[in-house]
Amino acid sequence: MSSFVLADNNICIWSSSQGVIFLFIFISIDFKYAAVEVELEFKGMFVHVSNQGDQKHDVLYVSTDGYIRLTEKTLDIIPMRHLDSGLFVSDQVHGLKVDVVSELTGYTEWSSQTSPSISIGWDWKLNCFKESRTYEIVGAPFSNLLLQDEFSNDLTVGENLKRISKIINKLDWVDDLKGHISKKYV
Amino acid sequence: MEFIIGSSESISDNVKAEVFSYRYKVFVEQLGWELDTPFDREVDQFDHENTIYVIAKNQQREIIGCARLLPTTMPYLLEEVFPELLNGLAPPKSSDIWELSRFTSLDLKEKGIPENTQFSLDSTVDLLKQTIQCAKRQGAKKIISVSPIGVERLLRKAGFKAHRAGPPKIIDGYPLVACWIEVE
């Protein structure tokens, strides 16, 4: 578990499970008035800190309604990693009975290694009768992320899920899924 | 199908005993949850006089589903046992936020129920709707649930506005997640 905390206006602390690492960024000018943007890379993780606009939007935090609010620009620099995947052995959700297995269905979960953590999960299916077996996303994703536009307005629920779906399509998720499913079930 | 809805005090001891026995069969025997519970009945410190139960029975008057509602103004499961599912947010304490837990809809006499299944009936959505309406009558504007990820699918299927509070936690190989549900 890694965590990222903006301790105050000019100190940034980052800790990881491999040990505690502190990064201190001292900005000699008044943080309130200066335009400051910092992008840090450490062990493959990127964190961007900015005081452009509302400072809170560039630091991960959980709103009282449970959402993490971010712009897509900020989200772009936060790596998402595979957390878990599994099969729906039968149609566990909808209570349907299936006699012949024509397709496999399941879920996959991805999250950021930040604190708080961004979570995105979605369902997938694999059509066993198709010659070229491809994994397809089923339905809208599940997430604690609420994307905002450039004016810090929340997107509608529908638009939010649509944008998150596009982000999923940019992830190379199938290889992680296949690897995890093989280990878990074979 | 018949629903029995009420507080622990208003429900007879016999019905509560049936619920705890049913929950044992579902959560301990069927799902394999390792719960610190007496043999043959699944009951914990959150089953007290302020707990509200929603119980579904079939025509033979056998339990085929249940749910548990707790006010967040008192200690509750998510706060006490799984606070990490809130992703760093302090556990809510409000009279208009209730917790949903131990939600299941399973006819144990049905043959061929796959392992790790806790919803198998078409009536699952009805039970969910009854439960959320019950919370609304208690003054809930939001519900926080702690449950397997299947509940997120159910909530969406039933048309409720809901979103997860954070990443799932993998327990006994299966993901458990907290969900915020709007009560409208």
Side-chain angles (χ1 to χ4, degrees), chain A residues 97 109 117 119 123 140-141, chain B residues 87 110 119 153 156 163-164:
Chain A
K97 305 272 192 320
E109 291 288 342
S117 180
S119 170
D123 295 343
Chain B
N87 205 19
E110 188 182 336
F119 318 119
R153 280 80 181 156
R156 184 169 286 171
H163 65 90
R164 58 177 54 180

Side-chain angles (χ1 to χ4, degrees), chain A residues 13-82:
Chain A
I13 303 171
W14 189 0
S15 65
S16 79
S17 57
Q18 285 78 34
V20 180
I21 297 131
F22 296 94
L23 295 175
F24 299 93
I25 300 166
F26 296 96
I27 298 162
S28 58
I29 48 181
D30 190 331
F31 196 89
K32 284 180 187 171
Y33 302 108
V36 178
E37 287 190 75
V38 182
E39 188 166 310
L40 305 170
E41 179 184 358
F42 187 78
K43 290 191 174 180
M45 288 187 65
F46 295 85
V47 176
H48 176 259
V49 182
S50 168
N51 68 343
Q52 299 294 293
D54 185 344
Q55 182 185 316
K56 286 191 294 186
H57 293 288
D58 286 306
V59 178
L60 295 181
Y61 71 102
V62 184
S63 304
T64 53
D65 62 6
Y67 274 121
I68 292 177
R69 287 173 162 81
L70 286 179
T71 61
E72 274 187 78
K73 189 180 169 188
T74 307
L75 182 63
D76 274 348
I77 57 170
I78 299 175
M80 299 294 292
R81 296 187 182 181
H82 178 264

Side-chain angles (χ1 to χ4, degrees), chain A residues 62-68 83-84 88-97 107 109-111 114 116-123 139-144 157 161 184-185, chain B residues 86-89 97 110-112 114-122 124 142 149-150 152-154 156-157 161-170 173-175 177 180 182:
Chain A
V62 184
S63 304
T64 53
D65 62 6
Y67 274 121
I68 292 177
L83 175 69
D84 184 41
F88 295 138
V89 177
S90 64
D91 194 324
Q92 295 173 353
V93 177
H94 305 302
L96 303 173
K97 305 272 192 320
Y107 64 89
E109 291 288 342
W110 285 58
S111 63
T114 53
S117 180
I118 297 165
S119 170
I120 304 176
W122 61 95
D123 295 343
F142 302 91
S143 183
N144 63 339
V157 172
L161 294 177
K184 198 169 182 177
Y185 296 99
Chain B
L86 287 167
N87 205 19
L89 193 70
I97 302 176
E110 188 182 336
K111 289 180 182 172
E115 284 180 21
N116 301 305
T117 299
Q118 72 184 102
F119 318 119
S120 72
L121 296 170
D122 293 337
T124 304
K142 283 186 179 181
I149 57 171
E152 289 181 300
R153 280 80 181 156
L154 276 174
R156 184 169 286 171
K157 185 184 178 189
K161 286 182 188 168
H163 65 90
R164 58 177 54 180
K169 183 179 178 185
I170 313 302
Y174 293 91
V177 73
W180 288 98
E182 300 286 336

Side-chain angles (χ1 to χ4, degrees), chain A residues 147-161:
Chain A
L147 291 168
Q148 294 187 312
D149 65 17
E150 60 194 281
F151 305 109
S152 302
N153 297 316
D154 293 346
L155 300 186
T156 62
V157 172
E159 185 62 26
N160 184 50
L161 294 177

